[in-house]
PDB file of all heavy atoms in Angstrom:
ATOM      1  N   GLN A  13       3.553  13.662 -10.391  1.00  0.00           N
ATOM      2  CA  GLN A  13       4.446  13.300 -11.494  1.00  0.00           C
ATOM      3  C   GLN A  13       3.636  12.844 -12.719  1.00  0.00           C
ATOM      4  O   GLN A  13       3.996  13.149 -13.854  1.00  0.00           O
ATOM      5  CB  GLN A  13       5.410  12.189 -11.034  1.00  0.00           C
ATOM      6  CG  GLN A  13       6.582  11.976 -11.980  1.00  0.00           C
ATOM      7  CD  GLN A  13       7.465  13.216 -12.101  1.00  0.00           C
ATOM      8  OE1 GLN A  13       7.687  13.912 -11.126  1.00  0.00           O
ATOM      9  NE2 GLN A  13       7.935  13.491 -13.312  1.00  0.00           N
ATOM     10  N   LEU A  16       2.649  15.891 -14.469  1.00  0.00           N
ATOM     11  CA  LEU A  16       3.770  16.514 -15.180  1.00  0.00           C
ATOM     12  C   LEU A  16       4.085  15.773 -16.481  1.00  0.00           C
ATOM     13  O   LEU A  16       4.366  16.390 -17.513  1.00  0.00           O
ATOM     14  CB  LEU A  16       4.994  16.550 -14.256  1.00  0.00           C
ATOM     15  CG  LEU A  16       6.170  17.406 -14.698  1.00  0.00           C
ATOM     16  CD1 LEU A  16       5.753  18.838 -15.050  1.00  0.00           C
ATOM     17  CD2 LEU A  16       7.233  17.431 -13.605  1.00  0.00           C
ATOM     18  N   GLU A  17       4.014  14.443 -16.441  1.00  0.00           N
ATOM     19  CA  GLU A  17       4.277  13.665 -17.661  1.00  0.00           C
ATOM     20  C   GLU A  17       3.165  13.914 -18.694  1.00  0.00           C
ATOM     21  O   GLU A  17       3.428  14.009 -19.888  1.00  0.00           O
ATOM     22  CB  GLU A  17       4.377  12.165 -17.346  1.00  0.00           C
ATOM     23  CG  GLU A  17       5.462  11.796 -16.353  1.00  0.00           C
ATOM     24  CD  GLU A  17       6.892  11.957 -16.862  1.00  0.00           C
ATOM     25  OE1 GLU A  17       7.086  12.132 -18.085  1.00  0.00           O
ATOM     26  OE2 GLU A  17       7.818  11.923 -16.030  1.00  0.00           O
ATOM     27  N   SER A  20       3.867  17.148 -20.159  1.00  0.00           N
ATOM     28  CA  SER A  20       4.991  17.017 -21.092  1.00  0.00           C
ATOM     29  C   SER A  20       4.491  16.524 -22.444  1.00  0.00           C
ATOM     30  O   SER A  20       4.862  17.060 -23.497  1.00  0.00           O
ATOM     31  CB  SER A  20       6.025  16.011 -20.571  1.00  0.00           C
ATOM     32  OG  SER A  20       6.567  16.428 -19.354  1.00  0.00           O
ATOM     33  N   TYR A  24       4.879  18.699 -25.924  1.00  0.00           N
ATOM     34  CA  TYR A  24       5.550  18.210 -27.138  1.00  0.00           C
ATOM     35  C   TYR A  24       4.578  18.197 -28.323  1.00  0.00           C
ATOM     36  O   TYR A  24       4.969  18.437 -29.465  1.00  0.00           O
ATOM     37  CB  TYR A  24       6.128  16.810 -26.916  1.00  0.00           C
ATOM     38  CG  TYR A  24       7.446  16.824 -26.166  1.00  0.00           C
ATOM     39  CD1 TYR A  24       7.522  16.471 -24.827  1.00  0.00           C
ATOM     40  CD2 TYR A  24       8.623  17.192 -26.808  1.00  0.00           C
ATOM     41  CE1 TYR A  24       8.732  16.481 -24.139  1.00  0.00           C
ATOM     42  CE2 TYR A  24       9.839  17.207 -26.126  1.00  0.00           C
ATOM     43  CZ  TYR A  24       9.882  16.847 -24.796  1.00  0.00           C
ATOM     44  OH  TYR A  24      11.080  16.874 -24.119  1.00  0.00           O
ATOM     45  N   HIS A  46       7.968  11.978 -29.539  1.00  0.00           N
ATOM     46  CA  HIS A  46       8.318  12.250 -28.145  1.00  0.00           C
ATOM     47  C   HIS A  46       7.073  12.481 -27.287  1.00  0.00           C
ATOM     48  O   HIS A  46       7.031  12.096 -26.118  1.00  0.00           O
ATOM     49  CB  HIS A  46       9.275  13.439 -28.053  1.00  0.00           C
ATOM     50  CG  HIS A  46      10.189  13.305 -26.887  1.00  0.00           C
ATOM     51  ND1 HIS A  46      11.481  12.897 -26.967  1.00  0.00           N
ATOM     52  CD2 HIS A  46       9.942  13.467 -25.565  1.00  0.00           C
ATOM     53  CE1 HIS A  46      12.002  12.827 -25.767  1.00  0.00           C
ATOM     54  NE2 HIS A  46      11.090  13.177 -24.898  1.00  0.00           N
ATOM     55  N   GLU A  49       5.976   9.178 -26.314  1.00  0.00           N
ATOM     56  CA  GLU A  49       6.838   8.631 -25.252  1.00  0.00           C
ATOM     57  C   GLU A  49       6.426   9.169 -23.887  1.00  0.00           C
ATOM     58  O   GLU A  49       6.386   8.434 -22.895  1.00  0.00           O
ATOM     59  CB  GLU A  49       8.303   9.051 -25.483  1.00  0.00           C
ATOM     60  CG  GLU A  49       9.122   8.071 -26.276  1.00  0.00           C
ATOM     61  CD  GLU A  49      10.590   8.485 -26.333  1.00  0.00           C
ATOM     62  OE1 GLU A  49      11.140   8.951 -25.319  1.00  0.00           O
ATOM     63  OE2 GLU A  49      11.178   8.361 -27.411  1.00  0.00           O
ATOM     64  N   GLU A  50       6.128  10.467 -23.848  1.00  0.00           N
ATOM     65  CA  GLU A  50       5.730  11.083 -22.567  1.00  0.00           C
ATOM     66  C   GLU A  50       4.410  10.509 -22.069  1.00  0.00           C
ATOM     67  O   GLU A  50       4.214  10.324 -20.865  1.00  0.00           O
ATOM     68  CB  GLU A  50       5.629  12.607 -22.702  1.00  0.00           C
ATOM     69  CG  GLU A  50       6.930  13.301 -23.035  1.00  0.00           C
ATOM     70  CD  GLU A  50       7.985  13.188 -21.936  1.00  0.00           C
ATOM     71  OE1 GLU A  50       7.697  12.665 -20.852  1.00  0.00           O
ATOM     72  OE2 GLU A  50       9.116  13.611 -22.187  1.00  0.00           O
ATOM     73  N   HIS A  53       5.250   7.407 -20.421  1.00  0.00           N
ATOM     74  CA  HIS A  53       5.814   7.664 -19.084  1.00  0.00           C
ATOM     75  C   HIS A  53       4.673   7.869 -18.080  1.00  0.00           C
ATOM     76  O   HIS A  53       4.729   7.402 -16.948  1.00  0.00           O
ATOM     77  CB  HIS A  53       6.683   8.926 -19.075  1.00  0.00           C
ATOM     78  CG  HIS A  53       7.908   8.844 -19.945  1.00  0.00           C
ATOM     79  ND1 HIS A  53       8.751   9.916 -20.143  1.00  0.00           N
ATOM     80  CD2 HIS A  53       8.428   7.812 -20.670  1.00  0.00           C
ATOM     81  CE1 HIS A  53       9.739   9.543 -20.951  1.00  0.00           C
ATOM     82  NE2 HIS A  53       9.560   8.285 -21.289  1.00  0.00           N
ATOM     83  N   MET A  54       3.648   8.612 -18.529  1.00  0.00           N
ATOM     84  CA  MET A  54       2.493   8.883 -17.668  1.00  0.00           C
ATOM     85  C   MET A  54       1.752   7.580 -17.346  1.00  0.00           C
ATOM     86  O   MET A  54       1.434   7.294 -16.182  1.00  0.00           O
ATOM     87  CB  MET A  54       1.553   9.871 -18.368  1.00  0.00           C
ATOM     88  CG  MET A  54       0.295  10.180 -17.597  1.00  0.00           C
ATOM     89  SD  MET A  54      -0.853  11.223 -18.529  1.00  0.00           S
ATOM     90  CE  MET A  54      -1.475  10.065 -19.739  1.00  0.00           C
ATOM     91  N   HIS A  93      12.321  22.466 -19.593  1.00  0.00           N
ATOM     92  CA  HIS A  93      11.233  21.620 -19.100  1.00  0.00           C
ATOM     93  C   HIS A  93      11.776  20.301 -18.547  1.00  0.00           C
ATOM     94  O   HIS A  93      11.400  19.860 -17.465  1.00  0.00           O
ATOM     95  CB  HIS A  93      10.229  21.362 -20.223  1.00  0.00           C
ATOM     96  CG  HIS A  93       9.084  20.510 -19.818  1.00  0.00           C
ATOM     97  ND1 HIS A  93       8.027  20.994 -19.061  1.00  0.00           N
ATOM     98  CD2 HIS A  93       8.829  19.191 -19.991  1.00  0.00           C
ATOM     99  CE1 HIS A  93       7.179  20.019 -18.816  1.00  0.00           C
ATOM    100  NE2 HIS A  93       7.643  18.908 -19.373  1.00  0.00           N
ATOM    101  N   GLU A  94      12.673  19.680 -19.300  1.00  0.00           N
ATOM    102  CA  GLU A  94      13.206  18.386 -18.863  1.00  0.00           C
ATOM    103  C   GLU A  94      14.054  18.526 -17.591  1.00  0.00           C
ATOM    104  O   GLU A  94      14.087  17.619 -16.756  1.00  0.00           O
ATOM    105  CB  GLU A  94      14.019  17.724 -19.982  1.00  0.00           C
ATOM    106  CG  GLU A  94      13.172  17.265 -21.162  1.00  0.00           C
ATOM    107  CD  GLU A  94      12.116  16.225 -20.804  1.00  0.00           C
ATOM    108  OE1 GLU A  94      12.195  15.615 -19.723  1.00  0.00           O
ATOM    109  OE2 GLU A  94      11.181  16.046 -21.595  1.00  0.00           O
ATOM    110  N   VAL A  97      11.596  18.498 -14.902  1.00  0.00           N
ATOM    111  CA  VAL A  97      11.083  17.138 -14.688  1.00  0.00           C
ATOM    112  C   VAL A  97      12.090  16.325 -13.869  1.00  0.00           C
ATOM    113  O   VAL A  97      11.719  15.591 -12.949  1.00  0.00           O
ATOM    114  CB  VAL A  97      10.794  16.438 -16.047  1.00  0.00           C
ATOM    115  CG1 VAL A  97      10.452  14.961 -15.842  1.00  0.00           C
ATOM    116  CG2 VAL A  97       9.655  17.137 -16.781  1.00  0.00           C
ATOM    117  N   THR A  98      13.371  16.482 -14.189  1.00  0.00           N
ATOM    118  CA  THR A  98      14.413  15.762 -13.438  1.00  0.00           C
ATOM    119  C   THR A  98      14.366  16.141 -11.961  1.00  0.00           C
ATOM    120  O   THR A  98      14.441  15.270 -11.080  1.00  0.00           O
ATOM    121  CB  THR A  98      15.815  16.081 -14.015  1.00  0.00           C
ATOM    122  OG1 THR A  98      15.831  15.691 -15.382  1.00  0.00           O
ATOM    123  CG2 THR A  98      16.914  15.353 -13.261  1.00  0.00           C
ATOM    124  N   ILE A 101      11.462  14.415 -10.336  1.00  0.00           N
ATOM    125  CA  ILE A 101      11.721  12.981 -10.140  1.00  0.00           C
ATOM    126  C   ILE A 101      12.670  12.778  -8.959  1.00  0.00           C
ATOM    127  O   ILE A 101      12.460  11.888  -8.120  1.00  0.00           O
ATOM    128  CB  ILE A 101      12.260  12.359 -11.443  1.00  0.00           C
ATOM    129  CG1 ILE A 101      11.092  12.198 -12.409  1.00  0.00           C
ATOM    130  CG2 ILE A 101      12.944  11.012 -11.173  1.00  0.00           C
ATOM    131  CD1 ILE A 101      11.453  11.820 -13.791  1.00  0.00           C
ATOM    132  N   TRP A 122      14.059   3.862 -13.126  1.00  0.00           N
ATOM    133  CA  TRP A 122      13.882   3.904 -14.592  1.00  0.00           C
ATOM    134  C   TRP A 122      13.749   5.365 -15.045  1.00  0.00           C
ATOM    135  O   TRP A 122      14.330   5.779 -16.050  1.00  0.00           O
ATOM    136  CB  TRP A 122      12.641   3.096 -15.000  1.00  0.00           C
ATOM    137  CG  TRP A 122      12.468   3.049 -16.486  1.00  0.00           C
ATOM    138  CD1 TRP A 122      13.006   2.129 -17.342  1.00  0.00           C
ATOM    139  CD2 TRP A 122      11.731   3.985 -17.291  1.00  0.00           C
ATOM    140  NE1 TRP A 122      12.643   2.440 -18.641  1.00  0.00           N
ATOM    141  CE2 TRP A 122      11.868   3.564 -18.637  1.00  0.00           C
ATOM    142  CE3 TRP A 122      10.976   5.115 -17.022  1.00  0.00           C
ATOM    143  CZ2 TRP A 122      11.277   4.240 -19.703  1.00  0.00           C
ATOM    144  CZ3 TRP A 122      10.390   5.812 -18.088  1.00  0.00           C
ATOM    145  CH2 TRP A 122      10.537   5.369 -19.408  1.00  0.00           C
ATOM    146  N   TYR A 123      12.992   6.150 -14.277  1.00  0.00           N
ATOM    147  CA  TYR A 123      12.784   7.566 -14.635  1.00  0.00           C
ATOM    148  C   TYR A 123      14.072   8.376 -14.445  1.00  0.00           C
ATOM    149  O   TYR A 123      14.340   9.296 -15.206  1.00  0.00           O
ATOM    150  CB  TYR A 123      11.628   8.153 -13.804  1.00  0.00           C
ATOM    151  CG  TYR A 123      10.284   7.629 -14.261  1.00  0.00           C
ATOM    152  CD1 TYR A 123       9.778   6.433 -13.763  1.00  0.00           C
ATOM    153  CD2 TYR A 123       9.538   8.312 -15.217  1.00  0.00           C
ATOM    154  CE1 TYR A 123       8.570   5.925 -14.204  1.00  0.00           C
ATOM    155  CE2 TYR A 123       8.321   7.817 -15.658  1.00  0.00           C
ATOM    156  CZ  TYR A 123       7.845   6.626 -15.155  1.00  0.00           C
ATOM    157  OH  TYR A 123       6.653   6.110 -15.606  1.00  0.00           O
ATOM    158  N   GLU A 126      16.087   7.642 -17.472  1.00  0.00           N
ATOM    159  CA  GLU A 126      15.446   8.249 -18.647  1.00  0.00           C
ATOM    160  C   GLU A 126      15.743   9.751 -18.715  1.00  0.00           C
ATOM    161  O   GLU A 126      16.000  10.297 -19.785  1.00  0.00           O
ATOM    162  CB  GLU A 126      13.926   8.004 -18.566  1.00  0.00           C
ATOM    163  CG  GLU A 126      13.113   8.576 -19.707  1.00  0.00           C
ATOM    164  CD  GLU A 126      13.345   7.889 -21.039  1.00  0.00           C
ATOM    165  OE1 GLU A 126      13.983   6.815 -21.052  1.00  0.00           O
ATOM    166  OE2 GLU A 126      12.919   8.454 -22.058  1.00  0.00           O
ATOM    167  N   GLN A 127      15.741  10.402 -17.556  1.00  0.00           N
ATOM    168  CA  GLN A 127      15.991  11.851 -17.550  1.00  0.00           C
ATOM    169  C   GLN A 127      17.420  12.195 -17.967  1.00  0.00           C
ATOM    170  O   GLN A 127      17.653  13.229 -18.594  1.00  0.00           O
ATOM    171  CB  GLN A 127      15.670  12.451 -16.180  1.00  0.00           C
ATOM    172  CG  GLN A 127      14.190  12.613 -15.916  1.00  0.00           C
ATOM    173  CD  GLN A 127      13.434  13.288 -17.050  1.00  0.00           C
ATOM    174  OE1 GLN A 127      12.569  12.673 -17.664  1.00  0.00           O
ATOM    175  NE2 GLN A 127      13.748  14.530 -17.358  1.00  0.00           N
ATOM    176  N   GLU A 130      17.187  12.152 -21.660  1.00  0.00           N
ATOM    177  CA  GLU A 130      16.378  13.231 -22.225  1.00  0.00           C
ATOM    178  C   GLU A 130      17.105  14.573 -22.178  1.00  0.00           C
ATOM    179  O   GLU A 130      17.063  15.345 -23.127  1.00  0.00           O
ATOM    180  CB  GLU A 130      15.032  13.322 -21.499  1.00  0.00           C
ATOM    181  CG  GLU A 130      14.248  12.058 -21.665  1.00  0.00           C
ATOM    182  CD  GLU A 130      12.786  12.281 -21.947  1.00  0.00           C
ATOM    183  OE1 GLU A 130      12.278  13.366 -21.650  1.00  0.00           O
ATOM    184  OE2 GLU A 130      12.165  11.359 -22.479  1.00  0.00           O
TER     185      GLU A 130
HETATM  186 FE1  FEO B 201       8.947  11.926 -19.167  1.00  0.00          FE
HETATM  187 FE2  FEO B 201      10.578  14.015 -20.714  1.00  0.00          FE
HETATM  188  O1  FEO B 201      10.036  13.346 -19.058  1.00  0.00           O
END
Side-chain angles (χ1 to χ4, degrees):
Q13 194 62 38
L16 192 52
E17 301 291 347
S20 298
Y24 280 104
H46 211 102
E49 268 186 40
E50 297 295 354
H53 296 175
M54 178 185 73
H93 180 77
E94 291 299 344
V97 172
T98 301
I101 284 170
W122 183 88
Y123 287 86
E126 180 69 11
Q127 284 311 116
E130 298 223 340

